Every structure is written in structure tokens, then in C-alpha cells.
Amino acid sequence: MTSFDCIVVGSGNAGCCAAFSAAEAGCNKVLIVDVCPPEWVGGNGYFTAGAFRTVHEGLQDLLPIVNNVSAEQAGSIDMDPYTLHDFLGDIMRLGDGKPDPVLAHAVVNASRDTITWLATEVGLPFMFSFHRQAYKVGGRQKFWGGMVLCTEDGGKGLIAAHHRALAKAKVDVWFNCPAVEITTENGAVSGIIVQKDGERLHLRSRAVVLAAGGFEANPELRERHLGPGWERAILRGTPYNQGDGFKLAAALGARQTGDWAGCHSTCWDADAPKDGGERNLTNQFTKSGYPLGIMVNSAGKRFVDEGEDFRNYTYAKFGRAIQNQPRSYVFQVWDSKAIGLLREEEYGDGIVKKIFGDSVEELAEKLVANGLEAKDEFVETVKEFNEAVKSYQAENQDSNWNPAVKDGMSTQKLPLPKSNWALTIDQPPFMAVKVACGITFTFGGLSIDPETAGVISEQSKVIPGLFCTGEMVGLFHKNYPGGSGLMAGAVFGRKAGKAAAKLTSTNA
């Protein structure tokens, strides 16, 4: 029987952090097992933009760890500090006060130190996210929404860097190797049974870390937990997150927590693959330019306040709003004033089908062929929106449109206002794209000890030797601040690895 000091289930960001941390802390034999084939390495982390939200003291604090800023460029960057209070407040505010504050504190308090660890020890190539989190205003790059860091080449670069680090640390990775059972002796983890090369293998280990993702790839579980219709949502990432990790944990009496009816779901290209992400374009199917325009459903009506908050505070919940619309698709709409501000990686030629019109009426006519069922209502919606914008501008002539701040440029006279960044849609050409709901990950998870990431049982006791990190942790409710998912996975993965090494040393 083969023995390991620590076995990690899952090859994504969280699992990689746990495995590297275990090896770094003294585990001599560390193994990652994953049900996916090697070409699907990385879980959902591969499909992200590689964004990490962290506490920081401003520009000078983070300059030493990024690779895309010269001394000259640094002089033209505006970056406000992001405090412990800010980060914790964002998690709790977006979760309607329901996230476990102790668990949230653990993420926030460890975030900055974990970033340094990821940069200097793991070797993640961090850069400032100019392309996603900053606008150039008055010749200066102004960051907004609290999040400023991402990895070079997004999720692809993130996962590649992680696995380079694992190779140097001599961590083994077995693909096509589903975990089917966690074994115990005297109430403590004793190993794991996997299916490898057509055989069941019992691998001995006193420490098992679950980092197997949520259940977002399982249509049956989506319908059961999220509700009717969710079985039809587009899957953004890996098709291998089927909820199997929860079955392993349930067999040991692990306590479930978190928002099992909630998920991260966003505006996603309606023509994207339905049953799993595309590993070339990955996150480019995201369509997050809605704060610069409006979103209209197939009945020709707006349905959300596109400017209620910065994009990285609303994008993870607007997918649900789209899913709940008639036909579960909508149209994002802009005119020439805003088209040039859309991110090239999401709206460039060859990335998305763009529908143009020289008038709102012509655009509406073309949208009919793409699923718009009420062109007259669409035209009237744009007209009413424009009138509300002009009314606000007439009453607030000193106001200036600024996408890098909450500018208050609104349409408050509408029953459903746009609270910020409201511009008339009246300058041809007009452009629309069709978007649907893309589900990223589910929020329901396991209860863990915030200091060790040890899994807690239904009897409120830590299950000896069982740890958990990543999407399997029940942290978020309803919504979440962008970049906090990868951060939480790294924080609890690092904690789990350290705890696993300590357990191994104690039992040596």
C-alpha cells in the first residue's frame, strides 16, 4: 500500500496552494489527485482572469510584487489603499450580512501576507490589472472597486505558475484519478481510495485536503439546489466539478454550511459552449461592459440597475438576473460614445458576435433575428432612458461622467434607475451583443476551522486529518466581491497545507 504525507483532491488554485504549502512545511510525499485528464488541469482557476483581492496600503505597497509597471508609469497611477475594514465590509455587504464573519475575517486578515507568499515563494507572476480595473482619466490610470492585482496571462498563467512550483517541490500529480472514498481509523482520516488505470488503489495518508470544487457542472444538482431552469445555465469552467467532493465529506459526517441556493453567475456570451469552458478563450466570454450601457431582455425591457455599483461588485449576481428573464438571454446595448471603452479581450472582433445599427430602430430590427421579441418596446425603452438621462443632466449641469468613480450620473426618474454612469444612447453607430447566464461556481460548502481549514463535523468537532479549501468552503452568500474567490482558496489552502504537515509531524 502506497503512503503519502498529504493527499490533495483537486488541481486548481486552492489545491495547488494546499499541496505546495504542505511540501514547504515539511511533508516529504505530497500527492494531488484529480478526476480530470491532464489537458483539463487547473479546475475553474484556469478559466478566471487570475484576479486576487487583497488588503493593501496603496501603490507603493504593491509595486515590488508586480511586473508590468515602470518607474515612469508609477507616477501616473492613482490607487487608494484597500483596508481590512474595506475588504471585510465588502464580503459582508454583498452577502447581506450572512457570511460567517469569523471565516471572512480569516481570509481578509491573511490576504496581504498570502499575496507575498504567492509572489515570492510560489512564484505567481502578478501584475496590475489595468485592462480590467482601471480607467484612464485626465491622463492618469485610476483604479476602482478595491481590486488591483491579477496574474500574467490570467487563469492560464496562474495554473501554469502553480504547477511549475509543484514540480520544483516534487509534488506528484495524478490525473484521470477520481477519489471514491476517504478511509478512517478510530475516527481519524487514514487514507483515500482512488480509481487509477482501471483499479481501485488504497493510498495511506493521515491528511486529506478536499479542493474538488463545487457542483456547478452537475445539471441535476443545480436544479435541485439552485432551482428550476438552472439545469440550462451555461457552464463557464471545468465540466469535472460534479459535487463529488461533497459526497466524500458527507460519508464522514461533515457539516454543510453556506448558501446552497446561491452561486457566482455572470453575463456570458450566449453563443459560448454550453457544457464547459473553452480552454483557448477561457474568460473572454465574459461580457462585463454593461455599466457603460444598458441591458434589455427579450421583451424589450431593462431589468437591473446597470450602475448600482462597480462591475466587480455586481457581475457575480447579474447572471442570476439574466437567468430569470424570459428565454434566459438579454442584450447589452451601447452607442458610439461607449463602444470604444469596451474591453478588447471581451468585445474584440472575432470574440463575440456584434450587432450594429445606424439607428435604434434599425438595431431593434436586427435584434429581432437574434431573439428580441418586442422591437417597439425596445425602442421605447431606449427613448425613455435617453429622456431620463437628459433630464438629470439638465438639472445637474456641473456633473461629469467618470467611469472610474461612482459619478452619480443617473436616471433616477425611471422606475428602475441606472444609478451611475448613465449616458444617452443616441450617437450612431449603435451596438448590441447577446448574453446569457454563465455559472462559475456554487456557494454551498463545508464548515471549516478558520485557522487550520479542518473540516467540522455535524457534531461540531473537527474531523481529524480532513481539510478543505476553495469552492468547497461555505463562505459566500448571494454575491461576492470579485477576486475574493481565488484569495480565499489560497488562504485556506495555505492553512490546510501547514496543518497537514503539523499533523504528519505529530504522528511521525
Side-chain angles (χ1 to χ4, degrees), residues 100-233:
D100 181 342
V102 177
L103 209 59
H105 263 290
V107 173
V108 171
N109 290 342
S111 62
R112 183 61 186 87
D113 183 61
T114 301
I115 286 293
T116 297
W117 176 73
L118 289 169
T120 61
E121 303 302 323
V122 180
L124 296 195
F126 283 114
M127 53 189 286
F128 284 147
S129 188
F130 294 109
H131 59 307
R132 294 179 59 83
Q133 292 298 139
Y135 285 108
K136 196 168 188 178
V137 179
R140 299 186 64 80
Q141 291 283 358
K142 171 67 177 177
F143 279 87
W144 48 267
M147 187 172 66
V148 300
L149 291 177
C150 68
T151 50
E152 186 178 345
D153 202 20
K156 298 175 185 177
L158 167 69
I159 298 304
H162 267 311
H163 282 267
R164 285 195 298 269
L166 294 179
K168 290 180 181 178
K170 295 181 169 48
V171 172
D172 290 329
V173 185
W174 293 359
F175 295 104
N176 296 307
C177 187
V180 297
E181 182 183 346
I182 298 172
T183 60
T184 61
E185 293 177 3
N186 300 319
V189 167
S190 62
I192 191 167
I193 296 176
V194 299
Q195 193 79 23
K196 189 176 191 301
D197 299 329
E199 297 183 7
R200 287 169 64 93
L201 298 181
H202 187 187
L203 309 176
R204 296 282 299 183
S205 180
R206 292 184 179 272
V208 171
V209 182
L210 295 175
F215 59 85
E216 64 277 355
N218 189 315
E220 179 183 348
L221 292 182
R222 290 203 306 264
E223 183 179 20
R224 181 190 309 172
H225 293 290
L226 306 182
W230 279 96
E231 72 278 7
R232 300 190 300 271

Side-chain angles (χ1 to χ4, degrees), residues 283-450:
N283 196 56
Q284 290 180 268
F285 287 120
T286 298
K287 298 293 169 274
S288 60
Y290 56 84
L292 304 176
I294 61 174
M295 291 198 290
V296 179
N297 63 20
S298 63
K301 302 293 186 181
R302 290 176 57 244
F303 58 97
V304 293
D305 178 352
E306 302 91 343
E308 74 171 63
D309 207 335
F310 289 116
R311 185 271 312 166
N312 60 3
Y313 294 135
T314 60
Y315 79 114
K317 72 172 184 176
F318 277 176
R320 178 179 288 271
I322 294 171
Q323 182 68 18
N324 291 336
Q325 297 308 300
R327 308 291 187 182
S328 296
Y329 59 76
V330 304
F331 302 95
Q332 297 178 343
V333 182
W334 310 266
D335 74 355
S336 61
K337 297 191 295 296
I339 291 173
L341 295 173
L342 298 174
R343 293 207 293 262
E344 183 71 17
E345 66 188 74
E346 297 178 10
Y347 296 96
D349 293 339
I351 301 300
V352 64
K353 178 182 178 181
K354 294 181 275 192
I355 305 159
F356 289 96
D358 289 328
S359 67
V360 173
E361 291 77 10
E362 181 183 345
L363 182 64
E365 188 67 41
K366 290 184 176 181
L367 289 180
V368 168
N370 291 273
L372 179 65
E373 298 177 331
K375 66 178 181 180
D376 292 340
E377 286 79 359
F378 175 90
V379 172
E380 184 62 23
T381 291
V382 176
K383 178 182 177 182
E384 291 177 351
F385 180 82
N386 287 341
E387 290 173 351
V389 175
K390 292 175 182 177
S391 176
Y392 177 88
Q393 291 175 341
E395 296 173 4
N396 301 271
Q397 296 186 20
D398 293 333
S399 296
N400 294 305
W401 188 81
N402 185 342
V405 299
K406 292 183 181 179
D407 62 6
M409 296 284 287
S410 69
T411 59
Q412 292 298 331
K413 292 186 176 181
L414 293 178
L416 176 59
K418 182 177 182 183
S419 298
N420 293 284
W421 314 300
L423 285 174
T424 54
I425 300 174
D426 57 4
Q427 298 283 330
F430 303 90
M431 189 180 91
V433 301
K434 186 176 181 179
V435 298
C437 169
I439 184 169
T440 311
F441 66 89
T442 46
F443 288 161
L446 302 181
S447 180
I448 66 168
D449 180 286

Side-chain angles (χ1 to χ4, degrees), residues 20 49 68 139 435 455 469:
F20 185 87
N68 66 331
V435 298
V455 175
T469 184

